[in-house]
Amino acid sequence: MSRVLTRRLINFERVMRGKIKPLYCSKMAYLRLEGLKIKDVLISVILHSCPNIRFLILDKSKGFTNIPIIEIARYCPKLLHLSLNSCICLTNRCITEITRSCPKLRHLELGDCSIGNKAVEGIACNCTNLKYLGLEGCEGISKEVMKKLNPKIKIEYPDYSDDEFSDSDLPPLIPDPLRATRSLIFIDRQNELVLTNTFRTDLINAIRVSSELTDSERINLLNRLARDIGQ
């Protein structure tokens, strides 16, 4: 941590632990404490003092146990966005408690965490409003449990080492046109790069059905694609 960031964290901790807290504490809706060394006491004080938190990001933070994480379920019922990537203290019980008590949750990131099938089952049963789920780097999650998730959820899947695993084992998903360029297939034809017909069709369909785009954005993307491929 840089000196500036360390000083800010110390000042923030003093404010949160003070007997009299500023008005903004009770109104705080967004809090990002990424890559920091934080103690259980500070997280607990934050959760007690900020009942209106809707966006909480603790990616790559350390120094705390699973106890204050479980408290998120008790004190953050309005939570919409929770990111706990690379939090080594995370357990199945943490996720189960959170999913039971935070029905409004729409975005959940648990990449590189030590969670298993029970956590995913809790998400599948309780997170009816979930739109995004990040599970990249997670181990110990079976393909059968993944099938229980709502197919409309945008998912970053765990890294399976099973060579027999295929896309057909997963729930059908609508391709995300904003990420589609990651898997473009090109053919070198006289030093020119051209989209294959199969991917071209998939990309057009993805743009047409995407719920993340407005009508004007969808039209602009389709027009640009048509110009690029000469249609």
Side-chain angles (χ1 to χ4, degrees):
M1 292 172 57
S2 66
R3 291 183 179 180
V4 175
L5 190 57
T6 301
R7 187 163 56 250
R8 287 179 180 175
L9 181 59
I10 292 174
N11 291 336
F12 177 69
E13 187 171 359
R14 287 175 180 171
V15 171
M16 296 308 300
R17 292 193 181 189
K19 292 183 179 180
I20 300 177
K21 299 179 177 61
L23 181 62
Y24 72 78
C25 289
S26 61
K27 295 184 178 181
M28 188 183 299
Y30 180 97
L31 180 61
R32 182 170 187 163
L33 300 172
E34 184 175 354
L36 304 178
K37 187 174 183 180
I38 313 170
K39 295 181 180 179
D40 285 8
V41 176
L42 177 57
I43 297 180
S44 295
V45 170
I46 291 172
L47 296 177
H48 282 76
S49 306
C50 308
N52 290 307
I53 287 183
R54 289 172 172 77
F55 298 83
L56 180 59
I57 301 172
L58 296 172
D59 294 345
K60 300 179 182 179
S61 292
K62 57 185 179 180
F64 51 87
T65 67
N66 65 335
I67 295 176
I69 299 300
I70 293 176
E71 289 183 337
I72 292 175
R74 186 182 307 171
Y75 297 106
C76 300
K78 299 178 182 180
L79 203 62
L80 299 176
H81 180 121
L82 178 62
S83 189
L84 300 171
N85 291 316
S86 300
C87 288
I88 59 177
C89 68
L90 209 60
T91 63
N92 286 331
R93 184 191 170 189
C94 292
I95 302 306
T96 301
E97 294 290 338
I98 290 172
T99 55
R100 285 176 181 173
S101 305
C102 302
K104 297 181 179 181
L105 201 61
R106 296 170 61 88
H107 186 110
L108 180 60
E109 295 191 37
L110 306 171
D112 296 310
C113 292
S114 300
I115 58 172
N117 290 334
K118 288 185 178 180
V120 177
E121 287 175 350
I123 295 170
C125 293
N126 302 313
C127 296
T128 56
N129 294 307
L130 199 64
K131 302 297 181 183
Y132 177 90
L133 176 61
L135 295 172
E136 284 186 306
C138 294
E139 299 178 357
I141 300 176
S142 69
K143 293 171 282 187
E144 288 72 22
V145 171
M146 290 296 295
K147 293 178 182 178
K148 296 181 180 180
L149 293 167
N150 188 331
K152 294 183 179 180
I153 298 174
K154 191 175 296 182
I155 303 173
E156 296 291 343
Y157 286 94
D159 296 331
Y160 290 100
S161 58
D162 186 357
D163 292 335
E164 296 181 357
F165 179 76
S166 65
D167 291 341
S168 61
D169 296 317
L170 300 174
L173 292 175
I174 297 174
D176 181 0
L178 303 180
R179 299 184 182 180
T181 52
R182 294 182 184 178
S183 57
L184 282 171
I185 304 173
F186 291 108
I187 298 176
D188 189 358
R189 190 177 299 166
Q190 295 180 350
N191 297 325
E192 293 182 0
L193 296 177
V194 184
L195 284 170
T196 61
N197 290 332
T198 300
F199 185 81
R200 183 187 305 165
T201 302
D202 292 342
L203 183 56
I204 292 173
N205 290 335
I207 294 173
R208 286 174 175 170
V209 301
S210 174
S211 59
E212 294 188 354
L213 299 173
T214 63
D215 289 340
S216 60
E217 290 173 336
R218 185 177 292 106
I219 292 172
N220 289 336
L221 278 174
L222 289 172
N223 287 339
R224 286 180 56 187
L225 182 60
R227 288 196 300 269
D228 291 339
I229 62 180
Q231 290 184 351

